[in-house]
């Protein structure tokens, strides 16, 4: 089934197979968008809760985002284990537990991203807080806090390779949009894949703007609490701007291999 055909099918046919195929397609598209826009590089990953089973999530097998196609997407349970007997845990991402712990802790979440986006990394090791300065980034909330694995787990590789560490990270996220990971990257989560990609792009733009503004010297003007609240309120139920952005990012992405 071609990508476009799968989408059309999902719109009229609500069978489990059709919904699963549509979710895999959208997640593969998100991988290509995030790679193309510089959010994901060789490493990092994005997932979506399985629309046919809330106790599972869909994620690519161990593969760089720029190379992911819908057929590379596999199901993983909320302990981080592969669901299908044909898929070995060794072929999954080491840090898949990040996703498992967040879906376990937050039933409201539908999509999760873990990335090492270069623009955000300085804020994970600096005392300068990551707070919104550009309007779009208001959607991220008042501040993304920094999770430091060393506080609880001592000297490690900084990688999140088991559920105990992942649950500690999920505790840091709490009810927020995400959390910076000291010396490592970021995790952000949303209520849909499209929303998540938007958050990631807003995060990147905000990080670049904030870094550049601070390099200019002088004082930095952050969005106020009231502005952040006003933006969140204005976004409720509005999908047209999100669709417009998604279609733009998708038009720029390389979808080679999708119809093979
Ligand atoms: Zn990582």
């Amino acid at each position: 089934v071609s990508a476009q055909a799968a989408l059309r099918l999902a719109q009229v046919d609500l069978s489990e197979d059709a919904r699963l195929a549509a979710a895999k397609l959208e997640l593969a598209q998100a991988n290509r968008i995030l790679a193309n826009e510089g959010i994901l590089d060789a490493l990092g990953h994005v997932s979506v809760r399985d629309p046919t089973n809330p106790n599972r999530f869909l994620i690519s097998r161990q593969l760089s985002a720029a190379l992911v196609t819908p057929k590379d997407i596999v199901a993983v349970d909320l302990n981080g284990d592969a669901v299908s007997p044909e898929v070995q845990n060794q072929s999954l991402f080491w840090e898949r537990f990040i996703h498992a712990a967040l879906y376990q802790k937050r039933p409201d979440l539908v999509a999760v991203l873990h990335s090492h986006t270069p623009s955000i990394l300085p804020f994970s090791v600096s005392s300068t807080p990551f707070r919104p300065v550009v309007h779009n980034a208001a959607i991220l909330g008042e501040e993304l806090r920094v999770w430091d694995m060393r506080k609880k787990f001592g000297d490690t590789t900084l990688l999140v390779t088991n559920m105990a560490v992942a649950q500690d990270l999920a505790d840091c996220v709490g009810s927020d949009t995400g959390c910076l990971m000291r010396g490592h990257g970021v995790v952000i989560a949303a209520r849909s894949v499209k929303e998540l990609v938007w958050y990631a792009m807003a995060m990147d733009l905000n990080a670049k703007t904030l870094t550049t503004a601070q390099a200019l010297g002088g004082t930095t003007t952050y969005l106020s609490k009231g502005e952040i609240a006003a933006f969140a309120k204005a976004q409720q139920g509005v999908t047209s701007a999100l669709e417009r952005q998604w279609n733009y990012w998708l038009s720029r992405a390389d979808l080679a291999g999708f119809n093979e």
Side-chain angles (χ1 to χ4, degrees):
V1 182
S2 78
Q4 285 310 316
L7 266 185
R8 277 198 300 276
L9 214 78
Q11 280 158 2
V12 293
D13 175 358
L14 295 179
S15 73
E16 290 209 342
D17 283 354
R19 282 190 292 144
L20 202 55
K24 287 182 176 182
L25 171 63
E26 188 179 59
L27 185 62
Q29 289 172 333
N31 271 273
R32 295 298 184 97
I33 290 171
L34 293 167
N36 184 58
E37 303 294 341
I39 306 293
L40 287 171
D41 49 19
L43 304 174
H45 20 85
V46 56
S47 69
V48 64
R49 199 185 288 271
D50 185 335
T52 67
N53 183 342
N55 295 316
R56 296 174 177 179
F57 63 95
L58 306 174
I59 192 167
S60 158
R61 65 186 173 87
Q62 209 175 83
L63 202 61
S64 292
L67 307 175
V68 170
T69 70
K71 66 179 187 305
D72 299 309
I73 307 290
V74 296
V76 175
D77 69 25
L78 298 193
N79 292 314
D81 291 317
V83 170
S84 161
E86 297 98 71
V87 180
Q88 303 283 312
N89 277 352
Q90 293 96 299
S91 66
L92 301 177
F93 293 113
W94 289 359
E95 295 194 290
R96 61 190 181 277
F97 303 99
I98 293 171
H99 304 256
L102 270 167
Y103 290 125
Q104 238 185 49
K105 188 181 169 73
R106 292 271 305 272
D108 60 312
L109 294 180
V110 176
V112 173
L113 169 73
H114 167 57
S115 72
H116 311 148
T117 310
S119 61
I120 197 78
L121 281 175
F123 296 93
S124 81
V125 294
S126 162
S127 61
T128 299
F130 185 78
R131 290 166 52 197
V133 285
V134 294
H135 73 105
N136 229 355
I139 207 71
L140 298 172
E142 289 176 21
E143 182 176 337
L144 291 188
R145 286 174 294 162
V146 180
W147 174 72
D148 189 347
M149 187 168 168
R150 190 159 62 200
K151 278 186 186 157
K152 192 163 177 182
F153 301 97
D155 292 337
T156 65
T157 60
L158 305 191
L159 299 178
V160 182
T161 53
N162 63 61
M163 284 305 288
V165 177
Q167 276 155 352
D168 193 54
L169 171 60
D171 286 347
C172 177
V173 174
S175 59
D176 289 353
T177 309
C179 201
L180 304 184
M181 302 159 72
R182 194 264 302 164
H184 179 171
V186 65
V187 56
I188 54 173
R191 289 158 300 175
S192 75
V193 168
K194 287 178 181 171
E195 193 178 76
L196 183 70
V197 169
W198 174 38
Y199 287 9
M201 296 298 290
M203 174 192 78
D204 186 45
L205 179 66
N206 195 74
K208 288 169 176 164
T209 305
L210 188 47
T211 303
T212 308
Q214 299 219 324
L216 289 173
T219 55
T220 302
T221 304
Y222 293 91
L223 297 192
S224 70
K225 282 187 182 189
E227 286 169 339
I228 292 167
F231 193 87
K233 196 175 169 202
Q235 289 305 321
Q236 278 169 16
V238 177
T239 56
S240 58
L242 183 55
E243 286 294 328
R244 180 152 42 103
Q245 293 178 96
W246 174 269
N247 289 336
Y248 168 68
W249 293 321
L250 191 58
S251 75
R252 289 155 51 88
D254 178 0
L255 303 182
F258 266 45
N259 291 324
E260 282 163 18

